Amino acid sequence: MFKQDADLVKAEMMANHAVRIEMSWSLPSPDDRVEYELWTTPTDIISRDFIRTFKEAAVALGSRAYFTPQMYIYDGIRSGCQGFDGENECYNLCTNNGRYCATDPDNDLDNGISGADVVEESLRRMCIWQHYGVDDGVGAEWWDYVQEHMFRCHSEEFFSNKKCIKDAMDHAKVDAKKIDQCMSDSGGLEEDVQNNILEVQLLAKDKSGVVILPAMYVNRVSIRGSLEFQVVFKAICSGYASGTEPAVCETCSNCPDPKECISNGFCGSKNMQDSVSTTTMAYSMVGLTVFFCLASIIQNKRHQRQMEAQVKGIIAEYMPLDENQMNNTAVSEEDGEFT
């Protein structure tokens, strides 16, 4: 903060006025498209609310923003989960003989969801993204599947249940056969072989340097603060080059409730819109009433003037006649008497 700015703040504080300061960091804004990515895991609790709500914003941003979901997994070989003989040394935390691992979400190796289950679901979600999101950067079906899985299968009993997963895919309109084939073609999860998709995730993790989950990046810059709809949406809208912001950002980025704004297409509640409409209607009615009253008064006066003019005209026509008749019927002395 520069001194001239700090002096103003200091003066307000010296005057015993409440001062609220917001700290923000600018984002790189190279062009008219923003790239953002979310690092998380299928069992991450913190990102759950964000994933449930942000699909509508992703769809509204459309081709002006490109989203990439990233699944955080561990390199089992680097972590020592694969022994010298190629055996899995980390029990059920890993797949592919200890190559790809995840922490146990319930800290119970013998019960509940295992690390290997998390790796498998991570691979499944990446395959869904490859088929339904990588082309447009929106991936509506990916958002739908993740929401359906959280709603239907996010429990110890159903997390890796094939029937439940198939049901979630069906509701999200995802082709289960294509996804199963993708998981198999990438290298699978059973043999001691590399899985191409999971290898890409390991490389991306090392490149990004992410260590705390969940993590959101906008234009390759980590977003600080809580993973909330408003924070992320505002950060995305700040990432556009000046003058290239999409309409949804101009309308909703500074709105107190951007999610409701995106849903409604305008900033403010429906009640506020209704009240504005009612007020506008009231003013319109008052204006129309005044207009018609003035028009009626003017018309009435005009009619009165016309009637007065007509009466004066009639009187003017009969006045000479009356005078002539009086002159013609008068009896002079020369006429003599009547007999």
Side-chain angles (χ1 to χ4, degrees), residues 160-197:
S160 57
N161 182 281
K162 299 299 182 184
K163 186 176 180 180
C164 185
I165 292 170
K166 174 66 165 53
D167 188 39
M169 288 188 182
D170 290 342
H171 279 84
K173 296 180 173 57
V174 171
D175 190 331
K177 292 183 179 180
K178 286 184 178 180
I179 304 307
D180 290 341
Q181 189 63 46
C182 170
M183 295 174 68
S184 177
D185 292 345
S186 65
L189 297 168
E190 302 299 329
E191 304 296 328
D192 184 15
V193 295
Q194 284 191 350
N195 183 290
N196 298 330
I197 294 176

Side-chain angles (χ1 to χ4, degrees), residues 231-247:
V231 173
V232 175
F233 181 72
K234 191 169 184 178
I236 292 172
C237 289
S238 299
Y240 291 97
S242 179
T244 67
E245 298 86 354

Side-chain angles (χ1 to χ4, degrees), residues 240-281:
Y240 291 97
S242 179
T244 67
E245 298 86 354
V248 67
C249 284
E250 294 179 351
T251 303
C252 301
S253 63
N254 292 318
C255 189
D257 190 344
K259 183 179 183 300
E260 184 179 15
C261 177
I262 294 172
S263 300
N264 297 335
F266 52 79
C267 183
S269 66
K270 187 68 170 63
N271 291 334
M272 289 178 61
Q273 292 295 321
D274 290 342
S275 64
V276 171
S277 300
T278 303
T279 303
T280 303
M281 180 62 72

Side-chain angles (χ1 to χ4, degrees), residues 50 71 79 94 97 127 161 166 171 178 197 232 249 257 282 288 307 312 315 323:
F50 173 80
M71 297 293 114
S79 301
C94 307
N97 284 36
C127 277
N161 182 281
K166 174 66 165 53
H171 279 84
K178 286 184 178 180
I197 294 176
V232 175
C249 284
D257 190 344
L288 288 172
M307 289 294 294
K312 288 180 179 180
I315 294 174
E323 291 177 358

Side-chain angles (χ1 to χ4, degrees), residues 139-164:
E141 292 85 356
W142 183 89
W143 293 96
D144 288 339
Y145 168 76
V146 175
Q147 291 177 33
E148 291 291 342
H149 188 273
M150 288 191 296
F151 175 70
R152 301 174 186 279
C153 311
H154 203 79
S155 65
E156 294 181 1
E157 183 180 358
F158 295 106
F159 184 85
S160 57
N161 182 281
K162 299 299 182 184
K163 186 176 180 180
C164 185

Side-chain angles (χ1 to χ4, degrees), residues 16 25 64 84 89 92 96 113 118 126 133 169 217 238 245-246 252 265 269 272 325:
N16 201 28
W25 291 263
R64 301 297 306 281
F84 294 107
E89 299 289 338
N92 61 0
N96 302 81
I113 303 169
V118 176
M126 293 310 301
M169 288 188 182
Y217 288 79
S238 299
E245 298 86 354
C252 301
S269 66
M272 289 178 61
Q325 289 178 348

Side-chain angles (χ1 to χ4, degrees), residues 87-143:
E87 293 297 320
N88 183 6
E89 299 289 338
C90 291
Y91 193 39
N92 61 0
L93 297 178
C94 307
T95 65
N96 302 81
N97 284 36
R99 286 178 177 270
Y100 311 107
C101 308
T103 57
D104 191 301
D106 44 28
N107 295 317
D108 187 344
L109 295 178
D110 297 318
N111 300 289
I113 303 169
S114 67
D117 293 335
V118 176
V119 174
E120 180 180 357
E121 180 61 25
S122 297
L123 177 60
R124 182 175 294 108
R125 294 187 182 187
M126 293 310 301
C127 277
I128 292 173
W129 180 256
Q130 285 197 1
H131 279 275
Y132 294 95
V134 72
D135 291 334
D136 63 4
V138 176
E141 292 85 356
W142 183 89
W143 293 96

Side-chain angles (χ1 to χ4, degrees), residues 215-232:
M216 175 64 71
Y217 288 79
V218 175
N219 286 348
R220 299 184 180 181
V221 175
S222 178
I223 302 302
R224 306 300 180 186
S226 58
L227 186 65
E228 296 178 353
F229 187 105
Q230 184 170 357
V231 173
V232 175

